[in-house]
Amino acid sequence: MASEKRNGHRRVAIVRGLRTPFAKAGTVFANLTALDLGRMVVQELVQRSDLDPNEINQLIFGQVIPTLTAPSIAREVVLAAGLPKRIDAFTVARACATSIQSMVAGANAIALGDADVVITGGTESLSDAPIFTSRPLAHALAASSKGKSLPDKLKPFQKLKAKDLIPVPPAIAEYSTGETMGESAEKMAKENGISREEQDLIAFNSHQNAAKAWKEGRFDGEVMHVLVPPKYEQAATKDNIVREDTSLEALSKLKPVFDRRYGSVTAGNASPLTDGAAALILMSEEKAKALGYEPLGFLRSHAFAATDPGDQLLQGPAYAAPVALKRAGMKLSDIDLVEMHEAFAAQVASNLQALASKEFAKKAGFNAPVGEVDRSRLNVTGGSISIGHPFGATGARIITQALNELKRRNKNTVLCTVCAAGGLGAAVILERA
């Protein structure tokens, strides 16, 4: 697209992208918060890009598991990163598609002329997930804080039962169905006829592709090094989940997790709990030219969709992708690469099956199926199973990774999709020219 506007709106450029290494929860970033990780990646991105902070109009950041002491994570990132305090900021959440949402929100502001330069992204620390108290204990603590004497402060606790003292972890199940994501992925595998062999092959390819990308230096420019505080003696330089030495035989020996007797979803063909952060710099095409930046690519279209979480919870991409393609005026045959978030291999296989299915297209109200995705163009530098999945950061990771790979291959278009809790799905189409 040669013009700087589409449908009367300004064209939005993705100028730069950066992420921290993604680390398995409880490992190298165990003592860091989501704010720590978000601050680090934004500071480094601004410095590497040689961007004058005074040019930034807005920062939009997301987090899925909130930090209770810093719930407005976007504003806190601005302040902690030492950016000008006048920068407007707000926080978004769309489960695993959170940093897709932050990118789209920033792009909309630019397209409409409300901003010229926006930083977007997301951060997550599953090592620092909040632990809640029971409702009775919370009420007792609140009442105790109002007591004027020691007996007054102790009195509210006298009515508590032993069970009221048990900590309450964050919910890992869908509120509406009571099913965990893993249980839903297991159900999808059974209902869609996804074999254990296919799931393990998807996981194997993810690790092989990511390991090759690291070995060939493809991630060197998009993954920063983190000197881990407080002693700064340990450096995180790579994702620590990628397994170059994994094999189909090793994956096949892992036991199912969610249905131990008849299941096929294992720890090996699912994404692990992960810590990490990722960020993007967005600009209007005119602003990027004025500041001398060569964009990584441009946002051509986007779509969000939703389906019944009690049916196929993680099938959102199959509903969103056709809409994004239609809005872009494109077909799957026009797309050079496909990036699909790997929450579970069963979810990837189910969405690929749905995109090619006439029956699914009819059920979803589409005129025709999207088509068969060429597996050799899918997640060519690895996905969330091997790289990891910090919920709020995955979308920005995928966008940066996809655009850099397009440049290396001298290709032009990529379709990125993400499934999310609640039966949600996101899709964006990015182009280089």
Side-chain angles (χ1 to χ4, degrees):
M1 186 176 72
S3 66
E4 293 180 350
K5 291 188 177 182
R6 181 189 291 277
N7 298 327
H9 295 149
R10 298 196 299 174
R11 195 179 186 203
V12 178
I14 299 97
V15 171
R16 296 287 185 274
L18 186 71
R19 67 177 175 91
T20 68
F22 284 3
K24 190 172 183 179
T27 61
V28 65
F29 294 151
N31 294 322
L32 301 183
T33 67
L35 177 56
D36 292 330
L37 294 167
R39 171 190 60 78
M40 289 174 184
V41 78
V42 168
Q43 281 181 324
E44 184 76 9
L45 178 60
V46 171
Q47 290 171 7
R48 285 194 184 196
S49 304
D50 196 23
L51 176 63
D52 181 351
N54 290 305
E55 295 284 358
I56 303 168
N57 305 124
Q58 193 173 61
L59 184 143
I60 307 169
F61 235 63
Q63 185 181 7
V64 178
I65 307 298
T67 301
L68 298 182
T69 54
S72 184
I73 194 72
R75 183 58 178 161
E76 297 302 336
V77 165
V78 168
L79 300 175
L83 298 177
K85 294 180 175 60
R86 60 155 188 81
I87 293 176
D88 176 37
F90 65 91
T91 299
V92 299
R94 192 188 279 268
C96 303
T98 286
S99 51
I100 295 289
Q101 177 63 69
S102 67
M103 188 270 285
V104 168
N108 286 342
I110 290 171
L112 293 172
D114 294 336
D116 289 316
V117 180
V118 182
I119 292 179
T120 73
T123 183
E124 209 75 51
S125 173
L126 274 300
S127 295
D128 189 36
I131 301 297
F132 302 92
T133 65
S134 67
R135 183 68 64 85
L137 179 54
H139 288 169
L141 288 167
S144 175
S145 67
K146 299 175 183 177
K148 296 183 179 180
S149 65
L150 182 59
D152 289 341
K153 291 181 179 294
L154 294 176
K155 187 176 180 180
F157 297 103
Q158 295 175 359
K159 296 180 181 180
L160 293 178
K161 299 176 182 178
K163 66 178 183 179
D164 297 330
L165 304 178
I166 299 174
V168 181
I172 57 173
E174 290 288 311
Y175 186 82
S176 61
T177 67
E179 290 183 333
T180 65
M181 272 203 179
E183 290 167 343
S184 298
E186 190 68 78
K187 182 171 73 171
M188 290 173 72
K190 292 184 175 73
E191 292 183 359
N192 299 323
I194 308 301
S195 69
R196 169 69 183 271
E197 291 73 20
E198 181 173 7
Q199 294 175 62
D200 287 347
L201 181 58
I202 289 171
F204 174 75
N205 287 336
S206 184
H207 282 282
Q208 289 289 295
N209 289 343
K212 182 180 179 183
W214 271 114
K215 189 174 182 180
E216 294 178 351
R218 298 189 192 187
F219 292 155
D220 291 352
E222 65 191 65
V223 181
M224 63 182 284
H225 292 183
V226 175
L227 286 173
V228 183
K231 294 184 178 180
Y232 301 96
E233 295 174 348
Q234 185 178 13
T237 60
K238 296 177 65 175
D239 307 317
N240 70 3
I241 298 163
V242 180
R243 295 290 177 264
E244 182 179 7
D245 60 350
T246 195
S247 66
L248 286 170
E249 181 182 7
L251 289 167
S252 71
K253 292 179 180 179
L254 297 174
K255 300 295 184 183
V257 175
F258 303 99
D259 180 349
R260 297 182 184 277
R261 189 169 183 180
Y262 302 110
S264 56
V265 177
T266 71
N269 56 42
S271 59
L273 297 178
T274 312
D275 302 333
L280 306 167
I281 296 175
L282 310 182
M283 295 183 186
S284 66
E285 185 174 21
E286 301 95 325
K287 189 68 171 181
K289 286 181 178 178
L291 295 180
Y293 290 101
E294 180 183 351
L296 291 175
F298 300 88
L299 175 64
R300 180 164 180 135
S301 73
H302 75 272
F304 295 105
T307 186
D308 180 359
D311 181 21
Q312 300 270 328
L313 175 71
L314 304 175
Q315 202 79 300
Y319 290 89
V323 179
L325 284 166
K326 183 178 180 180
R327 289 174 177 173
M330 302 176 75
K331 298 179 180 179
L332 182 61
S333 57
D334 300 318
I335 299 296
D336 295 310
L337 295 176
V338 175
E339 288 285 336
M340 182 174 286
H341 163 49
E342 300 167 346
F344 300 88
Q347 154 262 317
V348 174
S350 293
N351 277 283
L352 294 176
Q353 182 186 91
L355 289 172
S357 167
K358 292 181 180 179
E359 291 76 13
F360 175 83
K362 184 177 180 180
K363 170 189 171 184
F366 301 122
N367 293 329
V370 168
E372 193 90 30
V373 174
D374 181 350
R375 300 290 182 104
S376 69
R377 299 182 183 186
L378 174 69
N379 296 349
V380 294
T381 49
S384 299
I385 288 175
S386 57
I387 293 172
H389 177 34
F391 303 145
T394 288
R397 185 272 297 172
I398 287 174
I399 288 168
T400 301
Q401 199 165 312
L403 289 173
N404 282 332
E405 191 60 24
L406 281 179
K407 183 176 181 179
R408 274 187 289 268
R409 293 172 179 243
N410 195 28
K411 298 295 183 180
N412 192 54
T413 56
V414 61
L415 167 66
C416 303
T417 74
V418 179
C419 63
L424 302 176
V428 296
I429 293 177
L430 309 172
E431 60 187 358
R432 285 184 59 221

